[in-house]
């Protein structure tokens, strides 16, 4: 029961953070458009927008994964037997785990290799941008494992 409360709290927090980051991103880009129109462009807004954008992408990807909202071909699933559909979904999730482990490994390498850079026009380290890759991939990995466990329980309950 406590794990479900933690999970629910985490999901709500993740959704709120993503929403706020998206609002800040839109506001920042709008502000830059306005100040450029008056001939006063900023040097920092593009870099900060990039930082926020990559975090929104990876946090949003995890939310879409959790809600099964990624692009898929439903017509094929529609014609499959339920057990075969479940098996194919589990295989796809296992393949996704390997891809996410790849992203975690090479994303971490990117974080390490970008420690000496700064976001242009700021004193913010560039690794704060690249950190979204392994962090977002870890979140998606946890979501995928949770989905596999749910499917496994579903298979076991159908066999009993």
């Amino acid at each position: 029961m406590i794990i479900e409360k933690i999970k629910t709290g985490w999901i709500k927090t993740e959704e709120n953070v993503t929403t706020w980051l998206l609002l800040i991103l839109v506001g920042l880009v709008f502000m830059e458009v306005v100040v450029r129109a008056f001939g006063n462009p900023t040097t920092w807004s593009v870099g900060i927008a990039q930082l926020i954008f990559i975090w929104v992408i990876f946090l949003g990807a995890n939310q879409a994964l959790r809600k099964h909202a990624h692009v898929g071909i439903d017509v094929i699933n529609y014609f499959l037997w339920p057990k075969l559909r479940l098996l194919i979904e589990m295989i796809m999730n296992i393949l996704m785990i390997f891809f996410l482990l790849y992203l975690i490994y090479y994303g971490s390498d990117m974080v390490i290799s970008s420690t000496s850079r700064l976001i242009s026009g700021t004193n913010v380290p560039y690794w704060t941008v690249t950190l979204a890759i392994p962090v977002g991939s870890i979140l998606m990995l946890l979501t995928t494992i949770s989905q596999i466990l749910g499917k496994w329980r579903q298979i076991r309950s159908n066999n009993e």
Side-chain angles (χ1 to χ4, degrees):
M1 210 52 140
I2 188 93
I3 292 175
E4 278 302 313
K5 285 185 179 184
I6 292 171
K7 184 178 175 182
T8 302
W10 172 259
I11 290 169
K12 192 168 196 69
T13 302
E14 183 183 274
E15 289 173 351
N16 287 335
V17 167
T18 306
T19 300
W20 278 104
L21 285 175
L22 190 56
L23 288 171
I24 293 168
L25 178 63
V26 169
L28 181 64
V29 171
F30 179 75
M31 177 214 68
E32 184 59 25
V33 168
V34 170
V35 297
R36 279 182 189 232
F38 289 108
N40 266 343
T42 63
T43 58
W44 55 270
S45 65
V46 173
I48 297 300
Q50 179 185 27
L51 167 68
I52 295 169
F53 188 61
I54 189 127
W55 279 96
V56 167
I57 288 170
F58 276 92
L59 293 174
N62 186 44
Q63 291 166 35
L65 180 62
R66 187 181 313 111
K67 296 175 183 175
H68 304 284
H70 283 284
V71 174
I73 304 173
D74 290 337
V75 72
I76 294 172
N77 281 343
Y78 180 76
F79 291 109
L80 295 176
W81 296 296
K83 285 186 179 183
L84 182 58
R85 183 181 321 131
L86 209 54
L87 178 66
I88 290 173
E89 287 174 4
M90 285 188 68
I91 290 169
M92 295 307 294
N93 281 344
I94 290 168
L95 291 173
M96 191 163 24
I97 285 174
F98 286 113
F99 177 69
L100 291 170
L101 289 172
Y102 175 86
L103 283 179
I104 292 167
Y105 179 79
Y106 286 103
S108 299
D109 191 46
M110 282 180 67
V111 172
I112 292 166
S113 67
S114 64
T115 54
S116 60
R117 285 179 62 189
L118 295 176
I119 295 175
S120 61
T122 72
N123 286 328
V124 178
Y126 193 78
W127 63 262
T128 57
V129 173
T130 56
L131 185 65
I133 299 168
V135 170
S137 298
I138 289 168
L139 293 173
M140 286 186 275
L141 179 66
L142 294 172
T143 299
T144 303
I145 290 169
S146 173
Q147 290 175 348
I148 288 174
L149 293 174
K151 287 177 178 115
W152 183 254
R153 281 187 221 107
Q154 189 178 349
I155 290 172
R156 290 188 65 200
S157 68
N158 287 344
N159 289 335
E160 292 174 359

